[in-house]
Structures are given as structure tokens and as C-alpha cells.
Amino acid sequence: MVNATNLLPYEPSTDPKPLRVSSAEETEYGSVNINVGGGITTSAWCNKITVRVPVGAGAEHLTTEGADIKTGASTGWTPSAPTVSGGFAVITFTPARAVQFTGQIVTLTLSNIAVNRTAGQVSIAIIESSSRTNGSFTNKDAAVEVDKFPAGFVFRNFAPEKIMVENGEVAVLRWEGSDAKYTMHWGDTPAGVPLDKERVWSTPRGLTTVTGFMLRAEVTAGGVTLTHTLTTAVTVRIPDLVVRNLTVQGPATFADSVSLSNTAKDLTVAGSVRGAGSNPLRVSQNAGLKVDAVLNVTGASTFNGDVTANGFVTAVGAGKVVRIADLRGPYGEPLKINSHVNVLPGNSVTITDNLTANGNIMAGGNRVLRAGDSLRFVGLSSRYLTEDYDYGGESLRVTTDRTLYTNARWKAQHVSSASSFEEEPEGKQKPEDRAQDERTLTPDPEL
């Protein structure tokens, strides 16, 4: 306890808890321990502490036998024997040298106290000789209060029936106690719940996390309210968890949904995000998945819906094949390309089915084939064909190492990018003569 003048904090405790007054049949003995310096945050030096215990038979007195009090203190401090004077038992505690209270606690002990027979509250006066620096010490006043409960008062054994309950299970607590006003403080009920005379209480709802309980007992005596508290806790198997900051050093498994309630926050993953076992990772919201950076896909990808590319779709490296025939529109129809298909240098396009062109086919900026042209080639087993161009002629001669072959006529004259001949207009082209093709073919003796 700290008042306006003292520099040091003081915290009393008693043994037994609570301290009880004596009766005509039996004298009650107890001890008072005073902890000095706990939680101090400012600089304070002390070279002496004097304790004044009220002596007398009233509610405001602690004992009638002040001279019988025994004293003790932490190492380095020396207590004096009690001197009874002016209604007080005076004890002085002196350190070997001035002590700076920074991160340390000194305990002053008063024991073998024969508690008088009148219940009430006792104020023990304290005079500290202290200073902010190691010098210019002055006396400053403080005090601690000690409650004396009626003779025979009992308040003990506060505990749950089960120290661990299932998530959502109600906890039951019991205790032993004399007649008193009891108030239970727990969880989110800081105001407390008043209890009846039954020394058992069940939580009004199941517990979902580790919960602490404090039971307060109040008795009115000597014109004041005497208070004593007991505490306990109940754990929960597989509890709910609410934390401010969470750092997990090992693997974490979530058996149910995981959500970020604040949509302005990000979920950052240093490694991979995977579906459980062999299950895929799913994005099921209508908003879909948006990738603002590069998306690298190292495995096969399947798109069961539309795929929209606002930029280029590029296949890089050998063996990277895009099969146009496998792509389908929203109703299962073959994919139609109404614009351009760009193939980067070093890549190739392989067509394993019919190639239909409603427009011209261009190569190197020159028109190679135009709409309406038709080509027929005669395949020769185990032969390699080499072209013997006859620019401006009506036929294309094909030569092997031993036999001369002539294939069908072109419907239009063949025009090479190296030729300066002009192609014939469509109206003046000669009709295709299939019979002539068959007459001019020379059989291969080895076939």
C-alpha cells in the first residue's frame, strides 16, 4: 500500500489466512509478513523502517501482548526487539547500509502474535527513512491493514470438481465456509455473482477456454467489512483461443475453417499453402482468386470455366505445347481465335488435324496460298523428294535419285518469293486435269 508521502510500496499477508481472533477457550496465534519494494518503478533508497503495531483489546488493536511478538527480516536487515510504548509495539528494521530498492523485495516478519478477542480491522503504521538519492534521508509515513475475522471463522478448500472440462462443458466449484456474503468473480463477469448458502456453484454456461475464479467472502465486524478471497482455475480440453499476437514455432493444423475477420489485414505465408493430404487448395468465393504479381504454375493446370487473358499467353522453352484443339468455349464448342496467334521465335506450331483457312496464308510477308487454292501431293515410300522448280510452268517436277516423277498440276501457278513472274488471274487459270496426272505418273519398279 502506498500513500502520498512514502516512496516504497508495502504489501501485507497473514498466516493463517484469514487471521482469526481468540476465544475464551482458545488463544489464536498468527503472523504478519510485510513485503517491501514490490513493483517499484522509481529510484528509492532506504536506511531504516519502523513498524508500530497497535496493542490493546479493541477491534482496532492486534494483540494485548505486544512484548511477545517475535521479529525477523530478509538477509542484510536486522530487526530490534519490540518496545511497547504509548499503545504500540515498536519494532525497527535496519539494513547494514542504505539499500536501493530496484528489482528487489525485502520481507519484514512479525510472528507469535496472540490475536485479541475482538474482530475488526487493524492499521499497522510504518515510518520509512528514505530518499530519492543515497543521502538526505527523511521520515515518511505509510500503513497496512490487517483483518481479524470472528473466532472459528472458516473459509477454505475452494476448488473445482474437475480441474479440466470438455470444451462447452459446465464447471462445478465447491468450498467450505462459515456464514458470510459470498461473491464469485470469473471470466467476463468482473462485477461478481452473489451466491446463496449452498457451498457449491455451477457456471451458467459451458467453458471454452482456461478460466480463473475468485471467490470473495465478506463479514461485518467491529464496524467495518472484513474481506477475504480464494482463487482457483479450470482448464479446458481443446480450448478456444483468443490472443493479440501469436507466434508458432512448429507445424500448425487447423481442423476447421480459418478466417480473417478484418478484411484489411493480410495473410502472409513464407512457405506453401496446400490442401490437406491430396485435396486441392480451393478458392470458392465468387470473387475468385486475384494475383497481383507473377503466378508460377509448376504442374498441370485444368480450367473448367472461361480463361480470360488481358495480355499475352506465352509458352517458353522446348516441349511447351499449347493444344488449341483441347480448348473449349463456355458451351463445349471448339475454341475460335478471331484475332492473331503469335508464336515466339524458337517455337513451333504442330497441327495434327485439318487446317482450314478462310483467308490467305502468309509466310515472310508473302502470300504462299490463297483462298480457293488446292494442293495434292503423291507420297512415295522410302523416297526423299526434292523440288525441281520450273518458274512460270504448269507443273512441278519432283526428282529422286533414280526415277523421275511428275505430280498433279497446280490449280494456280506456283509463285516463289524468289521469282519475278506474275501469277495468272483466276479467270485464265487452266482447269485441273486429274487424268493427265495419272498418265504422267511413272511407276516405281521397286513398288
Side-chain angles (χ1 to χ4, degrees), residues 137-404:
F137 292 92
T138 58
N139 291 337
K140 302 173 182 64
D141 295 329
V144 295
E145 278 72 43
V146 174
D147 291 339
K148 299 179 297 175
F149 278 74
F153 180 81
V154 174
F155 183 34
R156 61 195 177 196
N157 297 334
F158 176 50
E161 287 187 348
K162 296 193 297 184
I163 62 173
M164 177 181 288
V165 297
E166 297 295 326
N167 192 307
E169 182 180 354
V170 168
V172 179
L173 298 99
R174 297 180 181 273
W175 67 95
E176 297 179 33
S178 302
D179 289 342
K181 176 185 176 181
Y182 292 100
T183 305
M184 183 72 72
H185 300 262
W186 68 288
D188 57 357
T189 58
V193 177
L195 308 179
D196 56 23
K197 294 183 179 181
E198 299 294 333
R199 303 299 183 251
V200 60
W201 178 75
S202 300
T203 57
R205 57 184 177 276
L207 304 184
T208 58
T209 187
V210 177
T211 305
F213 298 87
M214 182 180 73
L215 182 59
R216 180 188 301 272
E218 296 178 351
V219 175
T220 300
V224 297
T225 298
L226 309 177
T227 302
H228 189 63
T229 60
L230 296 176
T231 60
T232 190
V234 178
T235 60
V236 175
R237 195 176 75 87
I238 312 179
D240 295 352
L241 183 63
V242 178
V243 298
R244 182 176 179 84
N245 297 298
L246 177 64
T247 300
V248 181
Q249 298 292 348
T253 300
F254 300 93
D256 207 334
S257 300
V258 177
S259 62
L260 299 177
S261 60
N262 188 337
T263 56
K265 299 301 181 181
D266 297 331
L267 175 63
T268 302
V269 181
S272 301
V273 178
R274 305 173 183 270
S278 60
N279 295 323
L281 180 67
R282 297 181 181 272
V283 180
S284 59
Q285 294 297 321
N286 293 334
L289 176 66
K290 181 180 180 182
V291 180
D292 292 325
V294 176
L295 175 64
N296 293 321
V297 181
T298 59
S301 300
T302 301
F303 300 92
N304 295 322
D306 296 340
V307 178
T308 301
N310 295 323
F312 289 104
V313 177
T314 304
V316 180
K320 306 299 187 296
V321 179
V322 179
R323 298 181 58 183
I324 302 296
D326 291 342
L327 301 181
R328 292 292 185 267
Y331 303 102
E333 73 277 11
L335 182 66
K336 295 181 179 180
I337 301 176
N338 297 320
S339 184
H340 297 84
V341 176
N342 292 329
V343 181
L344 298 180
N347 294 279
S348 62
V349 176
T350 301
I351 300 174
T352 60
D353 207 338
N354 295 330
L355 172 63
T356 301
N358 295 325
N360 298 319
I361 297 178
M362 309 291 292
N366 297 318
R367 186 176 65 191
V368 178
L369 296 177
R370 69 182 175 187
D373 289 351
S374 64
L375 300 175
R376 290 190 299 111
F377 296 95
V378 177
L380 303 175
S381 175
S382 303
R383 293 291 183 269
Y384 296 95
L385 303 181
T386 61
E387 294 184 353
D388 183 10
Y389 292 104
D390 180 13
Y391 297 116
E394 295 183 351
S395 63
L396 173 67
R397 302 185 66 82
V398 182
T399 306
T400 65
D401 58 349
R402 55 180 294 175
T403 305
L404 178 64

